[in-house]
Amino acid sequence: APGGRGRGAENRGGPRLDAVRRALALHSGPDTALDRISRLAARIFDTPLAAVSFVGDEQVWFKGRFGLQVPAVSAQPGLCVTAAQRSGTYVLIDALADPWASVHPMVAGDPGIRFYAAAPVRTADGHRIGVVSVMDTEPRHAAASQLALLPELAGLVTDQLELRRAAVTVIEVEQEARSRLLAEAKRITYIADTLQDTLTPSRLPDIPGLDLAVHYEPFSADDVGGDFFDVFPVNDKRWGIFVGDVVGKGVEAAAFTSLARYSVRTAAVVEPGPAEVLAAVNEAVRRDPASGENMYCTIAYGDFAPPDNGKSWQATIALAGHPPPLLHRRG
């Protein structure tokens, strides 16, 4: 019936058109796979024209083409629009003999289609979103064996859609996972930076008569280092300066570093000299239950004090497994 060849309710919107939009998004540019399917269809039917088209509400897009020059036409009944509404293969021996097809611009105008055969392209969930079609500019018949292959070609288009949708899904999942990993890496870096800042002084103190400078470069920017240093007042006249190295990296080493650093500061206030300070630190870390048998550190600790005559500073240095400091004299 003529009413069955116009735009049905399925063409006016809803899930089918959503499926068409998704298909167009998957085939946004030139499509060699769909061109290949069109070329195969033309070879099977020995026709000069063939196409894989997606049928929208206002337009029909030829995403796979053989012999056709136009990328799209308006969605008028008679050819692709009508074929997409059919559940089976749609055949016109002579389009001029059909009242709807005869006024279609591709029949009445260029390229002057007469023979037309098409099978609907369905999505995996059953929406008919387009057709695989073959066309000729002369009226003709098609063999049953040829027509039986059109639905198979339409099935190939469906397979292409599903493969591309699966590929897009994989890419989206990978991008989401990458975004989560980047966010987690930023979070860990922030935590590491914050933790590292608590293990080293944010600025060096001003000590009259001494110039102080520091260069601290962690082995890895992605982990909390096990190296630590500090400069602090022991009392009104003495200053403590130390450099230490904890075995390992990461949070466990950072916890041990914090214990060692603040043990040095505490011991320096109550012990008479550097050797006693390091002995007290050794006892503190040895008794700490979180230290474990495999956790240890080396420390070089110096007690600095100005002499009574004010001409030069005196330093008493003790080592706990650490390389000795380098003394660079003037001249």
Side-chain angles (χ1 to χ4, degrees):
R5 295 195 180 181
R7 296 184 201 172
E10 192 184 24
N11 268 19
R12 287 194 292 268
R16 194 198 74 84
L17 279 183
D18 290 339
V20 172
R21 295 186 190 99
R22 289 193 295 269
L24 289 172
L26 293 173
H27 302 270
S28 55
D31 200 304
T32 56
L34 298 189
D35 285 343
R36 191 176 296 115
I37 293 174
S38 301
R39 189 162 56 249
L40 179 59
R43 182 175 299 177
I44 291 171
F45 282 81
D46 192 23
T47 57
L49 306 170
V52 175
S53 58
F54 297 135
V55 178
D57 194 29
E58 301 294 335
Q59 209 166 15
V60 174
W61 293 269
F62 299 113
K63 303 306 292 184
R65 288 182 285 168
F66 176 79
L68 279 179
Q69 302 302 317
V70 293
V73 294
S74 60
Q76 297 186 26
L79 297 182
C80 297
V81 171
T82 302
Q85 295 172 352
R86 298 294 183 89
S87 59
T89 303
Y90 175 61
V91 182
L92 292 173
I93 297 173
D94 186 354
L96 285 179
D98 184 275
W100 289 91
S102 62
V103 295
H104 192 283
M106 293 183 68
V107 175
D110 191 60
I113 293 171
R114 295 295 180 267
F115 169 76
Y116 179 87
V121 172
R122 293 177 174 85
T123 61
D125 49 359
H127 296 296
R128 294 192 293 273
I129 60 171
V131 296
V132 175
S133 58
V134 289
M135 295 155 278
D136 201 341
T137 56
E138 298 291 336
R140 57 177 291 180
H141 292 272
S145 58
Q146 293 173 312
L147 294 174
L149 291 176
L150 267 182
E152 298 296 329
L153 295 175
L156 291 179
V157 176
T158 301
D159 292 343
Q160 280 291 319
L161 287 171
E162 292 307 304
L163 285 173
R164 296 189 186 197
R165 186 173 292 111
V168 169
T169 300
V170 169
I171 292 172
E172 289 174 347
V173 169
E174 289 180 348
Q175 289 176 339
E176 183 180 352
R178 189 178 297 112
S179 297
R180 287 199 304 267
L181 287 174
L182 288 174
E184 181 66 11
K186 289 180 180 179
R187 187 184 72 86
I188 291 174
T189 300
Y190 173 76
I191 293 174
D193 290 344
T194 303
L195 185 56
Q196 189 73 68
D197 289 343
T198 68
L199 303 179
T200 54
S202 57
R203 61 180 297 272
L204 296 177
D206 295 324
I207 304 177
L210 283 185
D211 292 329
L212 299 179
V214 62
H215 174 73
Y216 180 77
E217 185 173 348
F219 178 76
S220 172
D222 301 326
D223 210 345
V224 181
D227 307 298
F228 60 100
F229 66 93
D230 204 354
V231 181
F232 61 95
V234 175
N235 54 39
D236 292 341
K237 294 184 178 181
R238 292 165 50 216
W239 291 83
I241 299 178
F242 65 84
V243 175
D245 185 9
V246 169
V247 63
K249 305 291 180 185
V251 176
E252 186 179 14
F256 193 85
T257 299
S258 180
L259 170 66
R261 180 189 178 196
Y262 290 103
S263 295
V264 173
R265 276 178 160 263
T266 302
V269 176
V270 298
E271 299 296 340
E276 292 81 4
V277 168
L278 294 185
V281 173
N282 184 65
E283 188 66 15
V285 298
R286 188 179 67 83
R287 290 180 178 274
D288 186 81
S291 299
E293 295 182 356
N294 297 322
M295 293 301 298
Y296 63 90
C297 71
T298 63
I299 300 177
Y301 175 71
D303 185 304
F304 287 74
D308 293 338
N309 59 18
K311 291 184 179 180
S312 61
W313 283 71
Q314 299 296 315
T316 304
I317 297 174
L319 303 177
H322 204 80
L326 176 66
L327 176 61
H328 187 83
R329 298 182 183 276
R330 179 165 46 181

